Amino acid sequence: MTGGVMDPLPTAPGAAAAEAEADEEADPPAADSPVPPVSEPRAPDAGRMQVPAGNPLLLSLTLQELLARDAVRVELVPEKKGLFLKHVEYEVSSQRFKSCVYRRYNDFVVFHETLLHKFPYRMVPALPPKRMLGADREFIEARRRALKRFINLVARHPPFSEDVVLKLFLSFSGPDVQNKLKESAQCVGDEFMNCKLAARAKDFLPADIQTQFAMSRELIRNIYNSFHKLRDRAERMVSRAIDNAADLLIFGKELRQVPCALGSDTTPLPSWASLNSGTWGSLKQALKGLSVEFALLADKAAQQGKQEENDVVEKLNLFLDLLQSYKDLCERHEKGVLHKHQRALHKYSLMKRQMMSAAAQSREPESVEQLESRIVEQENVIQTMELRNHFSLYCLHQETQLVHVYLPLTSHILGAFVNSQIQGHKEMSKVWNDLQPKLRCLFVGPPGAPAPPRPPQDGLSAH
């Protein structure tokens, strides 16, 4: 498989048949919203998800504990393989599993699909887009960064981090990881089918869960919009730092070229210009020496831009990826199980009206019995959908808490930005101060020539 859609997971025959009938008169589900199979929760295998101690709805995690779960590196493999169409390969190394494996983009796609099938009610981060042709170096690097953010968010997510599919992806070194991932999901079912408390999720939900859900969704939407603007501004500042570094470097090179260009000019000097020829000799040497400091200034500016790209922009992107996955989850809840539950209720209402009409018209007993049987099946479907709806809300409540656990990351981002600015300005200020004494020889001349500017006193600039 090369990034295609996985085979659907098996469902209970009776419930699936009844659900198919319910769909005959309902709108089809959204194509981009995975709808979990309708089936009753079953007893989990030993070693699978267990009910945590205390209130299972509440998460008792800190940001430090989340970040300590794993740190995954994603690096480009220098060599490109493939006879005709070259493909990019990534070296994925996990601190937790002490593993180092090689993955292609399509391996990430199958892993992503497997997560959506097993955890349809959880925040599954989106993958970066795939570009078939014309993938330049800039695009490949941006995708590598996005894949690194994706796998770290997944590796630190509480339910994902304990699932076998994550361990397979990060540690399986066999030739066909895609088939291995698909095999791990076959005949297993999703989280609803393997969680002990799935049938009792409603008991743990607060009475105003719908109100809390609406408020949390609006709050996180606003946070996302604000941090999206901050990320854009941070990217512009990084771009300016890199442009500043390039300009400083070119400025220094031009200073070095000035003496050479003028020194190689064989045009004879007029008599009125040759009176101070000794001054020009000193000036040429001074200009040539200044290029070293400007190269150092360029290097400092480039370092600051790179540091802010890694410590500020990338962390903002990580936070935005998390918030986007929450927004996607809310849409899956509404377009998936909630909408399907509403359609099943609508179908049930139609069937009840048909039953009343059949009784009033004194139809044959066999047709009435068939209709009664369909109504019973539909009631079972509705009961299962109600359980799934409550379990979806249960998971949403936990995922909302998880977003709030990540919120202190914003203070880390701001701290990294301030520290980068302080350190960068301090280092560049030192180079500028070291450069100033070298300017004195540029002002050597006859009496009455302009004197070099004096440094500001007590931090105040001269006016």
Side-chain angles (χ1 to χ4, degrees), residues 121-260:
Y121 311 122
R122 299 289 182 179
M123 293 187 297
V124 180
L127 285 176
K130 180 177 184 178
R131 182 183 293 185
M132 296 301 296
L133 298 173
D136 54 21
R137 182 175 298 180
E138 184 178 353
F139 171 82
I140 292 173
E141 172 60 17
R143 190 169 69 177
R144 181 198 68 81
R145 288 176 176 270
L147 291 174
K148 180 181 177 182
R149 298 194 302 268
F150 162 80
I151 193 61
N152 275 285
L153 285 173
V154 169
R156 293 162 181 168
H157 191 284
F160 301 165
S161 64
E162 303 304 322
D163 195 80
V164 64
V165 69
L166 176 69
K167 184 176 181 180
L168 271 173
F169 185 79
L170 290 179
S171 60
F172 179 73
S173 57
D176 194 354
V177 67
Q178 294 183 22
N179 279 335
K180 206 68 174 167
L181 289 169
K182 287 184 283 186
E183 288 172 5
S184 71
Q186 288 177 356
C187 304
V188 172
D190 62 8
E191 185 182 11
F192 172 76
M193 298 172 65
N194 295 287
C195 182
K196 270 187 175 182
L197 54 78
R200 298 187 296 115
K202 183 179 180 181
D203 299 336
F204 301 102
L205 295 174
D208 60 342
I209 181 62
Q210 294 291 354
T211 303
Q212 289 192 27
F213 167 57
M215 292 173 59
S216 296
R217 188 177 187 181
E218 182 64 21
L219 172 63
I220 290 175
R221 182 189 292 116
N222 293 336
I223 293 174
Y224 176 88
N225 292 337
S226 296
F227 275 86
H228 194 278
K229 294 176 183 176
L230 289 175
R231 192 279 313 273
D232 290 348
R233 293 295 168 177
E235 284 183 336
R236 291 181 62 181
M237 285 186 280
V238 167
S239 179
R240 285 201 298 269
I242 294 173
D243 289 344
N244 185 37
D247 289 340
L248 285 167
L249 187 61
I250 293 173
F251 192 91
K253 286 181 178 179
E254 290 301 323
L255 284 178
R256 188 169 66 246
Q257 295 298 324
V258 167
C260 297

Side-chain angles (χ1 to χ4, degrees), residues 15-197:
E19 183 189 4
E21 293 179 0
D23 286 340
E24 289 176 0
E25 300 181 21
D27 298 329
D32 58 347
S33 301
V35 178
V38 177
S39 49
E40 294 289 346
R42 64 191 182 195
D45 300 331
R48 295 185 68 81
M49 301 173 190
Q50 301 297 321
V51 181
N55 187 345
L57 185 64
L58 303 179
L59 295 180
S60 56
L61 287 169
T62 65
L63 177 61
Q64 287 71 24
E65 289 170 339
L66 274 180
L67 299 180
R69 283 176 175 261
D70 202 354
V72 185
R73 294 174 58 86
V74 178
E75 303 294 342
L76 284 170
V77 176
E79 301 83 8
K80 289 187 176 181
K81 299 181 180 180
L83 185 58
F84 298 107
L85 293 175
K86 306 294 183 182
H87 65 260
V88 179
E89 199 169 27
Y90 303 93
E91 184 182 78
V92 182
S93 53
S94 165
Q95 233 177 48
R96 174 188 175 191
F97 294 107
K98 304 293 188 293
S99 59
C100 181
V101 294
Y102 295 93
R103 297 287 180 257
R104 294 177 57 185
Y105 177 78
N106 285 338
D107 299 332
F108 280 91
V109 171
V110 176
F111 176 57
H112 181 263
E113 292 170 350
T114 307
L115 285 175
L116 278 175
H117 277 81
K118 296 190 77 172
F119 300 96
Y121 311 122
R122 299 289 182 179
M123 293 187 297
V124 180
L127 285 176
K130 180 177 184 178
R131 182 183 293 185
M132 296 301 296
L133 298 173
D136 54 21
R137 182 175 298 180
E138 184 178 353
F139 171 82
I140 292 173
E141 172 60 17
R143 190 169 69 177
R144 181 198 68 81
R145 288 176 176 270
L147 291 174
K148 180 181 177 182
R149 298 194 302 268
F150 162 80
I151 193 61
N152 275 285
L153 285 173
V154 169
R156 293 162 181 168
H157 191 284
F160 301 165
S161 64
E162 303 304 322
D163 195 80
V164 64
V165 69
L166 176 69
K167 184 176 181 180
L168 271 173
F169 185 79
L170 290 179
S171 60
F172 179 73
S173 57
D176 194 354
V177 67
Q178 294 183 22
N179 279 335
K180 206 68 174 167
L181 289 169
K182 287 184 283 186
E183 288 172 5
S184 71
Q186 288 177 356
C187 304
V188 172
D190 62 8
E191 185 182 11
F192 172 76
M193 298 172 65
N194 295 287
C195 182
K196 270 187 175 182
L197 54 78

Side-chain angles (χ1 to χ4, degrees), residues 359-373:
Q361 296 174 8
S362 301
R363 291 185 183 175
E364 296 180 2
E366 293 165 353
S367 64
V368 174
E369 287 179 4
Q370 289 178 355
L371 193 54
E372 287 178 345
S373 176

